[in-house]
Amino acid sequence: MIELSLKLLIAHVIGDFVFQPNSWIEHKKINTYKSKYLYIHGFIHLVANLVLLQFKTKYLIPVVVIVLSHIIIDLFKFYLEKKINSRWAFLIDQVLHLSILFTVVYTITSLEINLSVFYAKEVLLFTLALLLSTFVSSIAMKVIMSKWKLKEDSTEESLVKAGKYIGVLERLLVFGFIVLNHWNIIGWLITAKSIFRFGDLTRAKDRKLTEYILIGTLLSFGMASLMGFLYVYLADKI
């Protein structure tokens, strides 16, 4: 049951967060069921699930159910975003997806899965933790921080997607230091980032920017720490 749950969760993260650029999401919002990216997105989920389930024919029907339900739920999300806050729509969308996954797991838990070294529980748990600390956290932070809009959000004078990659790297470092039990280095990492952002944080006229940076930093470190704690705890249990 644990192995199957981890595999389906990894496939979900790969399809929904790793291989789904913002341009696809915007195109789907505008064109809904007419968007080609809606079906490409579904195909990516199909491939990810089949690969992780080792192309076993006994899982074909459950995978088809997951993919079709995913497309339907995505269409429902586009409708929801016109009625409610986008953050709530995102949350409802993910809850529905996960509900389908765990329903499938509950239905077929009696099926046996032959694991190789790459499908061991420890490897699957570590892979899921890394994906949650990087891609999922990036999307979650974007959703949360979308509540505030600043003029400084313009990317004309910065590297393309630099903020995203900096966040991913810092969360990977925090996650790694927690797993390796080197808590002291996390303090040095926070200090180093503060020094690099000192110019932004000391501009007297930009109090909002200062608050924005601090919220983003605390969220990023907090998410990475949470993933690290959960991984260490679960790794001792399996």
Side-chain angles (χ1 to χ4, degrees), residues 19-64:
F19 292 111
Q20 184 175 212
N22 290 331
S23 58
W24 289 17
I25 297 174
E26 295 303 319
H27 192 275
K28 289 191 294 181
K29 284 181 182 179
I30 296 172
N31 298 281
T32 61
Y33 68 91
K34 295 181 180 179
S35 173
K36 63 180 180 180
Y37 295 116
L38 177 66
Y39 306 104
I40 294 175
H41 179 60
F43 179 73
I44 290 173
H45 275 278
L46 176 65
V47 173
N49 277 281
L50 289 176
V51 169
L52 283 163
L53 294 173
Q54 299 168 274
F55 294 93
K56 299 218 175 153
T57 55
K58 62 183 178 181
Y59 293 117
L60 182 58
I61 293 178
V63 167
V64 171

Side-chain angles (χ1 to χ4, degrees), residues 114-167:
N114 296 321
L115 299 174
S116 66
V117 63
F118 297 105
Y119 292 91
K121 291 182 290 184
E122 295 79 6
V123 174
L124 291 171
L125 178 61
F126 185 72
T127 301
L128 179 60
L130 286 179
L131 291 173
L132 290 173
S133 299
T134 53
F135 293 98
V136 176
S137 293
S138 293
I139 300 299
M141 285 193 61
K142 181 180 179 181
V143 171
I144 295 171
M145 300 299 287
S146 66
K147 181 178 181 180
W148 300 284
K149 298 293 184 182
L150 300 179
K151 294 180 181 179
E152 289 78 5
D153 286 343
S154 173
T155 58
E156 294 180 359
E157 298 181 358
S158 63
L159 298 176
V160 178
K161 296 184 179 180
K164 174 183 176 180
Y165 296 127
I166 290 172

Side-chain angles (χ1 to χ4, degrees), residues 167-186:
V168 168
L169 289 173
E170 75 181 22
R171 287 190 295 277
L172 276 176
L173 289 172
V174 172
F175 175 81
F177 294 145
I178 290 176
V179 172
L180 296 173
N181 200 28
H182 288 297
W183 297 83
N184 56 319
I185 303 180
I186 297 176

Side-chain angles (χ1 to χ4, degrees), residues 56-73:
K56 299 218 175 153
T57 55
K58 62 183 178 181
Y59 293 117
L60 182 58
I61 293 178
V63 167
V64 171
V65 169
I66 290 172
V67 173
L68 291 179
S69 66
H70 195 100
I71 292 174
I72 294 171
I73 291 171

Side-chain angles (χ1 to χ4, degrees), residues 160-222:
V160 178
K161 296 184 179 180
K164 174 183 176 180
Y165 296 127
I166 290 172
V168 168
L169 289 173
E170 75 181 22
R171 287 190 295 277
L172 276 176
L173 289 172
V174 172
F175 175 81
F177 294 145
I178 290 176
V179 172
L180 296 173
N181 200 28
H182 288 297
W183 297 83
N184 56 319
I185 303 180
I186 297 176
W188 286 104
L189 183 61
I190 295 175
T191 302
K193 184 173 182 180
S194 300
I195 292 173
F196 280 116
R197 298 307 297 264
F198 183 77
D200 293 327
L201 294 171
T202 55
R203 283 151 59 185
K205 66 177 182 179
D206 290 332
R207 180 176 177 180
K208 289 183 178 179
L209 176 60
T210 300
E211 294 171 340
Y212 186 85
I213 293 172
L214 288 174
I215 291 172
T217 298
L218 292 174
L219 272 175
S220 182
F221 278 81

